[in-house]
Amino acid sequence: MRYHMGNALDEEYYNDNLSGWRNMSLTSAHWGTYHAHVKNGRLTGLSHFAEDSDPTEIGKGIVDVIDDDTRILGPMIRKSWLESGPGSHNERRGLDPFVRVDWDTANSIVAAELSRVIESNGNEAIYAGSYGWASAGRFHHAQGQLHRFLNSIGGYTKSVNTYSFAAAEVIVPHVIGHFRDYIYNQTSWKSVRDDCELFVAFGGVPLKNGQIGQGGLGRHIQKESILAAHQNGVKFVSISPLRSDMIDDVQAEWLQIRPNSDAALIIGICFVLLDEELQDQAFLDRYSVGFEKFAEYLMGSADGVVKDAAWAAEICDIDADVIRALARRMAGARTMLSFSWSLTRQAHGEQPFWAGITLAAMLGQIGLPGGGFGLGYSAVNTVGNDIKRLPVAAMPQGKNAVTSFIPVARIADMLLNPGSHFDYNGQSHTYPDIRIVYWAGGNPFHHHQDLQRLLGAWQKPETVIAHEWCWNALAKHADIVLPCTTTLERSDIAMSPMDNYFVSMQAAIAPVGDARDDFEIFRGISAKLGSEDVYTEGRSAEDWQRWLYDVTKQASAEQGHELPTYDEFRDHGWFKLEPPERAYVMLADFRADPEASPLATPSGKIEIYSDTIEQFNLDDCAPHPCWFEPVEWLGSADRGTRLHLIGNQPTARLHSQLDHGSVSRAAKIGGHEPVKINREDAMARAIEDGDIVRLYNDRGSCLCGAIVSDDVMKGVVVVSTGAWFDHDTDRTSGLTCRHGNTNVLTPDVGTSKLAQGPAAHSCLINLEKWTKGAVPINAHRPPVIEDRFTKGNFLHDKMGQP
């Protein structure tokens, strides 16, 4: 295998472009690789990695906040919890001041609280789903370190699946055998460029989402890839309520679709193919099972409803002739179908991907270069990237002795209803009784829906422990806050099986305040619990990083790929794996020989009809792709004048990360998150560009700044997720969030009993001009911090400390 060894400081480049480059360190983040500029021990700037021709500005948002007043400078304990013990005045989470303590005290308190709960309620009473992206770096992965630590003391209740695409994680294995094996191993953009003729994107190809890549990335490839495909003659169709989900440069045809109706459109296209005998029956016969039953559904054999183009047109608000013409274009060209991850985050979010794979099977191009289907091009930088897929080692987490779990988006249900039952993937499970929530590397007050409901659920556990570096909503609503470092304050390795760049991440500055990395935090707590050797295995952070690299190097060598030594890597700073010479085509082996390379489904084939799901006997998920009407959508009989809210991914940050930074703040309107509204809808409400508006429904309300635009279809408003939650605790404004966090509006319901994924995109809201004047926004302000605590009565009486 070939690789190109770089230099942490490309002397020729930086002599030509920057002064003072010798005071820089190399680091990597989910949004790219940067050189850190430091002066007198303080971070002064970030400059882009020379290898990246399309860098993002997101990372620069950390410069002004890494040591500002939002930084958590030492271990903090919520005052009421500290004075009165676990479970005391939980309703004051988010209101109470905090008291700073030293690390020895904090470690003793956490260790004692974990011991108390384990002894009285068992490890099942500790919830550590701890969902979130955390930071880049192979070793300092917050959730991995948390899970390893808790497994070393008996385990914890976990979560399964993700907020990104939970419905797909459950349904797709029933259809093609796996999900994770395909989501980051999709047909490459190179194959699309060279062999595709028609690229149809349900949900578009949003390049803003492709700014990021899990674990760190060296070079952004999404924009150059789609432009190369366009320049090579590929025609694009974007099916989305939002024009900007496809860049103008590729001159895509924009089909405006009612949100939540993609499955109906796909089913209508399938009917046209069947009705006009355009399906590839030979492919269906050899590579799939159950098509004949799906065909009966299309023809309305059971329900009397023919799922033709006219039926689909009434649901999705796209002309029936346009639907028929699109079906014929698909059948007459080498067609790639792309299905955005966002399609799964709606009521019955299992259906669009299942219907989409079925449509691809009917076209018969699965496994062909440039054809078939893809699951979210530009959802992240990884999708469609030509990567080596080396066996990169991860931090061992040990064995979790606890078997209880929840679907990731059912956290409020779990906290509110311990002991009650829930359905998941054909089985019934029981919610555990959680006493401790332990969170590291995420923010539930960003990810979760119906935050007013979550606030109520958040009062149930006796203790909430969080590792955080800044005072976001999670930290403010915790009882014990342990300050962690950022990637710029520790050494790590950016090496991901989903990227061709290996980057030696160097500590640019010393930890701010008393911050510690997660490994050191858990080492300190483990020492109090007597389990330090189990947790660390006698290795330091540097020892572990060398171990991770050496294991990766050895495993790669066994596959015929030689990597530089660890010391060579650290000395040079980075290296790049040369991409494969041949473009990757997903499911090519299956197409070439389905007997020798069967899918991991019961039949070994694509399951258009699933006997397994039929046996589940669910009332909200049929055994074949199906259209289910959502409770909240533009077709609702009781819609009135309400608008459909879409909460898409932001341009100026990753989820809620760095919302308080300069890049994200610059995108605000009057300090509020922007809302994009159609011009006609704005005129009907006397709203103009820049107005502050109130979004509200029965679940909550928030303020946003209006952007009047023709780029969003009538009846739809778009607000990016990730604005830090700013609850109006004194209720003077009547707002659930003064800042613009749309998850105060979204429903906390599962996609179906099958997957129980989040259904945030099935949300109707009212919108009006705000006329009550400016409101204080405290989202980016720290809580009150009282004087440092010294050991006293509480530690002696409650925790048994000297």
Side-chain angles (χ1 to χ4, degrees):
M1 181 195 73
R2 294 175 298 158
Y3 61 84
H4 169 71
M5 181 71 79
N7 193 299
L9 296 175
D10 187 331
E11 189 162 347
E12 180 178 353
Y13 173 82
Y14 288 105
N15 278 339
D16 290 342
N17 293 276
L18 296 167
S19 60
W21 59 266
R22 293 184 183 278
N23 294 317
M24 295 188 295
S25 300
L26 193 63
T27 192
S28 192
H30 297 309
W31 39 82
T33 297
Y34 300 87
H35 291 275
H37 300 246
V38 177
K39 184 175 182 179
N40 298 326
R42 295 193 66 202
L43 181 70
T44 58
L46 295 176
S47 57
H48 296 301
F49 187 43
E51 289 278 302
D52 195 350
S53 59
D54 184 30
T56 174
E57 297 297 306
I58 292 176
K60 296 182 179 180
I62 198 171
V63 175
D64 68 319
V65 294
I66 196 168
D67 57 1
D68 77 345
D69 59 2
T70 63
R71 189 65 192 262
I72 302 170
L73 298 177
M76 302 284 177
I77 314 290
R78 184 171 65 87
K79 185 176 181 180
S80 292
W81 193 100
L82 188 60
E83 291 178 341
S84 303
S88 300
H89 301 290
N90 292 351
E91 76 283 355
R92 293 200 56 77
R93 288 180 180 138
L95 298 173
D96 260 346
F98 283 82
V99 179
R100 183 170 176 175
V101 302
D102 58 50
W103 273 109
D104 186 67
T105 300
N107 289 340
S108 296
I109 290 175
V110 173
E113 178 63 356
L114 288 169
S115 297
R116 179 188 71 83
V117 169
I118 291 171
E119 182 177 348
S120 60
N121 301 94
N123 284 75
E124 183 182 87
I126 303 171
Y127 177 68
S130 194
Y131 179 82
W133 273 56
S135 302
R138 201 64 179 171
F139 173 69
H140 292 293
H141 180 259
Q143 294 99 323
Q145 295 287 356
L146 171 60
H147 297 162
R148 177 181 172 83
F149 163 70
L150 290 176
N151 285 340
S152 73
I153 59 172
Y156 60 97
T157 292
K158 67 178 182 179
S159 65
V160 297
N161 305 140
T162 70
Y163 281 86
S164 294
F165 39 52
E169 288 178 275
V170 179
I171 189 62
V172 172
H174 287 291
V175 184
I176 56 175
H178 291 286
F179 177 72
R180 289 284 179 173
D181 285 2
Y182 298 121
I183 191 68
Y184 300 121
N185 293 293
Q186 303 193 41
T187 298
S188 69
W189 273 113
K190 184 190 298 183
S191 179
V192 172
R193 177 197 66 194
D194 294 342
D195 300 294
C196 182
E197 296 173 308
L198 178 64
F199 191 106
V200 182
F202 293 84
V205 180
L207 293 185
K208 61 180 177 56
N209 297 11
Q211 294 180 101
I212 60 176
Q214 301 97 311
L217 64 91
R219 185 171 179 273
H220 291 86
I221 61 97
Q222 294 295 324
K223 184 176 182 179
E224 68 180 34
S225 298
I226 194 171
L227 289 177
H230 167 66
Q231 291 161 5
N232 206 37
V234 178
K235 303 299 182 184
F236 287 86
V237 178
S238 180
I239 303 172
S240 170
L242 191 62
R243 184 196 299 272
S244 61
D245 277 341
M246 185 79 75
I247 59 171
D248 292 338
D249 306 63
V250 301
Q251 301 173 11
E253 178 184 358
W254 178 33
L255 298 183
Q256 302 180 43
I257 186 172
R258 280 178 174 170
N260 290 199
S261 67
D262 299 84
L265 173 60
I266 296 167
I267 289 168
I269 294 172
C270 289
F271 177 91
V272 175
L273 296 179
L274 178 64
D275 185 56
E276 300 186 9
E277 299 183 352
L278 296 175
Q279 80 275 18
D280 187 334
Q281 194 62 48
F283 182 92
L284 292 168
D285 291 343
R286 186 178 186 193
Y287 297 97
S288 73
V289 295
F291 175 72
E292 64 284 352
K293 293 182 179 180
F294 177 64
E296 292 175 359
Y297 169 74
L298 295 177
M299 302 306 295
S301 299
D303 59 9
V305 178
V306 178
K307 316 304 185 300
D308 59 11
W311 168 85
E314 186 174 347
I315 295 170
C316 66
D317 200 24
I318 296 176
D319 188 84
D321 287 338
V322 173
I323 296 173
R324 295 185 191 100
L326 181 58
R328 294 165 190 149
R329 287 179 67 190
M330 289 179 178
R334 180 61 59 85
T335 300
M336 173 61 75
L337 306 176
S338 177
F339 303 100
S340 168
W341 294 358
S342 62
L343 303 183
T344 70
R345 299 192 296 273
Q346 58 179 278
H348 311 289
E350 297 85 359
Q351 300 305 318
F353 274 29
W354 196 356
I357 295 170
T358 299
L359 172 58
M362 292 182 70
L363 293 171
Q365 299 181 29
I366 294 173
L368 292 178
F373 67 92
L375 305 176
Y377 282 92
S378 198
V380 290
N381 189 62
T382 303
V383 178
N385 197 359
D386 282 304
I387 51 179
K388 280 292 187 183
R389 301 176 180 86
L390 294 185
V392 176
M395 186 71 173
Q397 295 185 12
K399 181 175 176 56
N400 188 353
V402 174
T403 59
S404 60
F405 74 93
I406 62 166
V408 67
R410 302 274 59 81
I411 179 174
D413 286 354
M414 172 187 69
L415 295 177
L416 290 168
N417 304 296
S420 64
H421 296 283
F422 66 93
D423 294 312
Y424 175 76
N425 205 12
Q427 296 184 336
S428 179
H429 303 273
T430 302
Y431 287 125
D433 186 2
I434 298 300
R435 304 304 176 93
I436 291 178
V437 170
Y438 204 136
W439 215 282
N443 180 4
F445 291 92
H446 155 66
H447 285 107
H448 199 65
Q449 287 70 55
D450 196 348
L451 292 182
Q452 188 71 42
R453 185 170 187 260
L454 180 64
L455 280 175
W458 207 250
Q459 296 179 19
K460 298 298 182 179
E462 295 168 348
T463 300
V464 177
I465 306 170
H467 293 197
E468 262 300 347
W469 69 278
C470 54
W471 284 111
N472 61 16
L474 169 65
K476 292 176 182 177
H477 288 84
D479 299 311
I480 301 171
V481 184
L482 304 179
C484 59
T485 53
T486 68
T487 54
L488 291 159
E489 301 159 277
R490 61 192 184 222
S491 296
D492 208 336
I493 305 172
M495 58 175 186
S496 165
M498 299 179 288
D499 196 79
N500 284 330
Y501 286 81
F502 281 47
V503 178
S504 174
M505 300 166 61
Q506 304 150 5
I509 61 173
V512 174
D514 287 336
R516 293 180 175 180
D517 63 63
D518 295 293
F519 177 78
E520 181 60 21
I521 293 172
F522 289 127
R523 188 204 62 76
I525 300 170
S526 296
K528 297 291 185 180
L529 291 167
S531 59
E532 181 179 358
D533 288 343
V534 177
Y535 173 68
T536 68
E537 295 185 26
R539 294 188 178 104
S540 66
E542 169 60 20
D543 293 336
W544 272 112
Q545 290 172 56
R546 181 181 289 272
W547 181 88
L548 288 168
Y549 186 89
D550 287 345
V551 169
T552 299
K553 185 179 187 312
Q554 180 178 345
S556 299
E558 291 171 357
Q559 295 185 5
H561 307 308
E562 290 297 331
L563 302 182
T565 67
Y566 180 75
D567 292 330
E568 289 173 335
F569 166 56
R570 286 298 199 187
D571 287 343
H572 284 269
W574 64 274
F575 67 88
K576 177 182 67 174
L577 307 173
E578 293 300 324
E581 293 181 3
R582 296 182 59 185
Y584 183 77
V585 177
M586 187 172 71
L587 295 171
D589 291 344
F590 169 66
R591 184 185 185 95
D593 192 337
E595 288 74 33
S597 301
L599 303 181
T601 57
S603 65
K605 299 181 179 182
I606 299 167
E607 302 222 342
I608 295 173
Y609 189 97
S610 170
D611 290 332
T612 301
I613 293 179
E614 181 184 33
Q615 293 169 9
F616 294 164
N617 194 30
L618 303 174
D619 59 4
D620 56 2
C621 187
H624 57 74
C626 192
W627 159 251
F628 290 90
E629 183 175 357
V631 174
E632 293 186 41
W633 71 301
L634 292 179
S636 298
D638 61 349
R639 174 201 164 191
T641 60
R642 289 183 293 173
L643 304 170
H644 197 121
L645 171 66
I646 296 294
N648 66 356
Q649 297 302 318
T651 300
R653 57 181 178 265
L654 165 58
H655 301 315
S656 67
Q657 290 193 36
L658 297 181
D659 179 57
H660 62 321
S662 58
V663 178
S664 181
R665 293 199 317 270
K668 309 279 184 182
I669 296 176
H672 301 280
E673 191 66 21
V675 54
K676 189 171 287 189
I677 180 172
N678 177 272
R679 191 172 305 279
E680 291 186 40
D681 291 327
M683 290 179 61
R685 293 161 176 79
I687 292 169
E688 298 180 354
D689 251 344
D691 283 346
I692 304 304
V693 296
R694 182 172 79 110
L695 286 66
Y696 64 99
N697 58 22
D698 292 341
R699 290 178 287 269
S701 61
C702 65
L703 295 185
C704 292
I707 298 175
V708 179
S709 173
D710 294 321
D711 287 348
V712 59
M713 72 178 289
K714 185 178 179 181
V716 175
V717 295
V718 179
V719 184
S720 292
T721 62
W724 282 8
F725 179 52
D726 186 22
H727 191 42
D728 186 1
T729 53
D730 58 15
R731 300 182 180 180
T732 56
S733 69
L735 297 164
T736 316
C737 179
R738 293 170 292 201
H739 187 205
N741 187 316
T742 57
N743 271 333
V744 302
L745 304 165
T746 53
D748 184 13
V749 295
T751 51
S752 77
K753 296 184 182 71
L754 182 76
Q756 296 284 5
H761 289 322
S762 296
C763 179
L764 292 178
I765 58 103
N766 297 289
L767 186 147
E768 64 183 10
K769 189 172 181 176
W770 178 254
T771 59
K772 297 182 180 179
V775 299
I777 301 174
N778 297 321
H780 300 157
R781 295 179 180 175
V784 173
I785 309 297
E786 296 196 351
D787 292 339
R788 183 183 294 269
F789 176 77
T790 56
K791 294 181 179 180
N793 291 335
F794 173 71
L795 289 177
H796 182 272
D797 296 338
K798 300 292 185 182
M799 309 297 288
Q801 298 293 321

